[in-house]
Amino acid sequence: MQTRKGQEIEDESMQIIESEIGSHTFNEMEWPIVRRIIHSTADFDFARENKLLFHKDAISNGINALKNGCSIVTDVNGVIGLMNKQNPKDFGNNLICNISDPSLMESAKKAGKTRAQMSMRVAEKEIDGGVVVVGNAPTALLEVMEMVREGLVKPALVVGIPVGFVSAVESKDELSKTDIPFITNIGRKGGSPCASAIINALYKLLRQGIN
C-alpha cells in the first residue's frame, strides 16, 4: 500500500506519461502495462522504437494464471526484488529463482549450458502452467522456448524482455514468432525493472477485475 503522498506522485507521473506520449496503438489492456514500464524506466522507447509486443492471449492468460495461484519463475533475483510482494502473497503465487543455487554451476558445466539455462531446466514443474519472467538472461529465454518445443512445459505466459547485446534481440524476435503467450519487446533494451513492471501491472489489472 502507498501513502497518500506516494500515490499523488505516482498519479502525477502517469499523467506526465500520458501527455508526453500522446496517441499510441496499444489497446486498453496493453497500455497500462506499457505505461508501467515507462514509469519504471523513464524511457518512452518502449512505446516507440523498442515497442512492446503482445501475443493475443498473453494478458488474459497471465491474469488468470496469477489469479489461480500459479508459480512465477524468474531468471534473476533482481526481478523478484522489484516486484510488489503483497501481490503474490495475496494470490498464493510462489516466487522462484534458482540462479543462485550452488549446485547449478556443476550441472551447467556438465551439460554445456549457462547457469541461467539450468535454472529454467530445474524449474520445469513450476514453469508448466506458470508465468516465466526473463529480464536479463537471453539464454534462459531460449531455454524455455526449447523446453516448450520438447513438449516438457506449457507456460501460461512468458515475459521475455532480456537486456543486452548477445542474443537479446534474437531471443525476443524468436519468442515473438512462437505460439507461446508472450509479452516481449523489439531491440536491446529491457531488464529487471521492465520485467517486474510487467508483472506488477498484470496484478493491478487483476485487482481491477480485468481479464
Side-chain angles (χ1 to χ4, degrees):
M1 296 292 290
Q2 291 211 59
T3 63
R4 179 180 298 178
K5 183 63 176 177
Q7 188 62 55
E8 288 175 355
I9 293 171
E10 179 176 320
D11 291 344
E12 183 178 357
S13 296
M14 294 303 184
Q15 290 170 7
I16 291 170
I17 292 169
E18 293 280 358
S19 64
E20 290 196 19
I21 200 68
S23 62
H24 57 78
T25 59
F26 300 103
N27 66 38
E28 62 182 5
M29 293 180 70
E30 295 168 351
W31 176 238
I33 296 172
V34 179
R35 186 177 59 187
R36 179 63 59 179
I37 293 178
I38 296 171
H39 177 258
S40 298
T41 62
D43 191 340
F44 286 86
D45 273 359
F46 288 102
R48 296 167 180 156
E49 289 86 355
N50 294 94
K51 187 176 179 179
L52 267 287
L53 305 175
F54 296 84
H55 182 279
K56 62 182 178 62
D57 298 322
I59 297 174
S60 58
N61 276 24
I63 289 174
N64 286 328
L66 292 172
K67 181 170 64 176
N68 292 325
C70 75
S71 294
I72 301 173
V73 180
T74 74
D75 61 331
V76 293
N77 288 305
V79 174
I80 293 176
L82 292 168
M83 287 173 52
N84 181 330
K85 304 305 187 301
Q86 191 62 44
N87 288 322
K89 182 178 179 181
D90 287 349
F91 291 98
N93 310 112
N94 291 326
L95 302 177
I96 297 165
C97 181
N98 296 312
I99 195 70
S100 298
D101 186 334
S103 66
L104 277 185
M105 180 62 77
E106 193 58 35
S107 58
K109 286 180 179 178
K110 289 180 179 179
K113 296 179 181 290
T114 66
R115 285 191 304 146
Q117 286 176 291
M118 291 305 298
S119 74
M120 295 295 126
R121 284 284 167 177
V122 300
E124 178 184 319
K125 182 179 178 181
E126 292 83 7
I127 288 174
D128 193 35
V131 172
V132 179
V133 190
V134 176
N136 290 265
T139 56
L141 180 54
L142 291 167
E143 195 71 14
V144 171
M145 287 187 278
E146 180 61 27
M147 292 167 71
V148 171
R149 284 192 292 269
E150 292 172 4
L152 298 175
V153 296
K154 188 176 181 180
L157 171 66
V158 173
V159 175
I161 194 162
V163 62
F165 299 98
V166 179
S167 298
V169 173
E170 293 82 359
S171 64
K172 290 183 278 190
D173 182 60
E174 181 178 334
L175 178 63
S176 71
K177 296 174 181 176
T178 70
D179 292 328
I180 304 166
F182 65 79
I183 299 175
T184 189
N185 75 305
I186 299 167
R188 294 171 170 173
K189 292 185 179 181
S192 294
C194 301
S196 59
I198 291 170
I199 300 302
N200 288 336
L202 286 173
Y203 273 118
K204 188 160 188 176
L205 290 171
L206 169 54
R207 289 186 182 279
Q208 291 171 346
I210 299 172
N211 56 33

